[in-house]
Structure formats: C-alpha cells, structure tokens
Amino acid sequence: MSQPAITLWSDASYFSPYVMSVYVALAEKGLSFSLQTVDLARGDHLQSTWRGYALTRRVPLLEVDGFLLSESSAIDEYLEERFAPPEWERIYPHDREKRARARQIQAWLRSDLGPLREERSTEVVFGGVKKPPLSEAGAASAQKLTETAGALLAHGQPNLFGEWCIADADLALMINRLVLNGDAVAPLLADYAAFQWQRASVQRYAALSAKRAAE
C-alpha cells in the first residue's frame, strides 16, 4: 500500500503523553513516518519559523503531504479516517457506540484530572522520577481516575473494548502516572496498565525517551 510522506513533530525529550498517542497510532496503522523534535524548554515552538507556529504552537504536530494538524485526539481521528480500515489497521473500535466511548475517554483524559497530571507528570512515566505524596486535590483526582477506570474495566478483559484501541494506550499512561511512582493502585488497574505498556508500539516510544535521557 502506498502512502504519502508523513512527519510527526515531538517534544525533544519525548515526554509528551499526547505525542505518544499519535506515535502509537501511526505505528499501529503500520505507517512509515519521519520524526522531528522541537525544544519546548528553549521555546523553539514559539518561534515563527517553526512549522506549527500558525496552529496551536504545541506538539504533537502531524504533517501529511503538506497538511498540518495539531492536537492529539484530532490527529488520531484524522489518521483513522485518512488511512481507513480495511486497507490500514484499525485504531478505534468498529462498533459505533464503542468508538464514541473511546473518544469520550480520550477527551476526558485530556480535559480533566489536572491535579493528577501536574503532581504526577510524565517525568514519572518516562524519566523514572519519584514525586512526593499527592495533595488533597491530587488524591481526589487520582480517586476519580481509579474509580472511573475501574468501572470501565470491570469486565476483566485486558482491553477496554475487547480488541485494542488507541484509548487503551492513553488510559494506561494515565494509570501509570500512579503505578510507576509507587502509589497504591488496585491490582486490576495495575495489571491492565502493565499489559498495555508491553505493546510493541508503546515500548518503541518509551525507548525514545530512554535513549534521549541517556545522551
């Protein structure tokens, strides 16, 4: 199958959970793509010469034959439509209602749980950093995550909807903010996150941050 030229822009450290979502989506679809980085700490994304400046000035940024798109959930959905099944691998559930639920989960993880994302940054997930105990707000956010995820996974299956979808990678990353910091997490959720983390596409992304940290 032929495909257009694709470029994914990431933060220089490969710590972005949103870049990971798009990276995993591209890998799961079997798409070839080049990877470029922009140094957020240095403010390179705020320079008018950067490709994504005219958009949200954030990563991830996807370029497909000159078409630029930012915001990870929008990119994931675009990839599913642009490189649609059955020619390309599916990253969202086939069932309409399950597909809507997957998108709901993605939107929730990106718009809620702010204290948890702040107090358990992805330095924990990709950099092995240990953070102090959660604040009251952080603990409430963690409880909301674990209760909601527990309800979603009460069926006891290793994936949210039977077969894997991109929302599994996003949810597992959020749970691993707690697990990899050593916070108490129910075995059901810890096992789910560990299973998802062994997926080849996720491991490939995690290896990027590990390699960059070692340089």
Side-chain angles (χ1 to χ4, degrees):
M1 291 177 287
S2 61
Q3 64 159 79
I6 301 174
T7 300
L8 172 63
W9 288 84
S10 170
D11 59 302
S13 62
Y14 300 108
F15 275 17
S16 169
Y18 312 118
V19 171
M20 190 194 92
S21 184
V22 174
Y23 183 100
V24 168
L26 288 163
E28 292 288 342
K29 280 196 167 290
L31 293 165
S32 300
F33 61 98
S34 61
L35 194 58
Q36 299 288 337
T37 61
V38 58
D39 195 327
L40 304 185
R42 199 168 59 189
D44 289 353
H45 60 303
L46 303 177
Q47 303 302 312
S48 60
T49 53
W50 183 56
R51 295 287 285 163
Y53 181 83
L55 299 176
T56 58
R57 305 177 194 179
R58 303 201 297 182
V59 294
L61 174 71
L62 185 76
E63 183 171 3
V64 180
D65 268 358
F67 173 67
L68 297 169
L69 185 65
S70 62
E71 301 304 315
S72 59
S73 57
I75 295 172
D76 288 345
E77 293 181 28
Y78 168 75
L79 290 172
E80 184 75 329
E81 293 183 12
R82 175 67 177 79
F83 303 98
E87 291 81 8
W88 304 92
E89 293 297 320
R90 185 179 299 281
I91 60 170
Y92 283 97
H94 179 268
D95 178 81
R96 181 179 59 192
E97 279 67 37
K98 289 179 179 179
R99 190 163 62 249
R101 183 73 69 210
R103 288 168 171 163
Q104 173 198 310
I105 291 167
Q106 287 189 291
W108 171 60
L109 292 172
R110 287 157 172 74
S111 62
D112 201 354
L113 310 174
L116 177 59
R117 285 186 276 114
E118 181 176 346
E119 296 180 33
R120 295 290 179 268
S121 72
T122 52
E123 290 178 321
V124 170
V125 178
F126 299 119
V129 174
K130 299 300 181 184
K131 299 288 185 175
L134 291 165
S135 67
E136 183 176 346
S141 189
Q143 182 177 2
K144 185 175 185 180
L145 168 66
T146 55
E147 288 180 353
T148 304
L152 289 167
L153 296 166
H155 50 60
Q157 299 177 26
N159 300 312
L160 282 163
F161 306 108
E163 295 186 1
W164 179 90
C165 76
I166 191 61
D168 282 303
D170 291 347
L171 180 59
L173 188 149
M174 187 63 80
I175 295 170
N176 269 336
R177 292 174 187 264
L178 296 170
V179 173
L180 298 179
N181 194 69
D183 297 300
V185 175
L188 171 69
L189 301 186
D191 291 346
Y192 165 80
F195 177 78
Q196 297 298 330
W197 218 245
Q198 292 308 308
R199 199 164 182 90
S201 56
V202 176
Q203 285 291 298
R204 282 170 56 188
Y205 183 80
L208 292 172
S209 57
K211 180 180 178 180
R212 182 55 56 90
E215 291 177 349

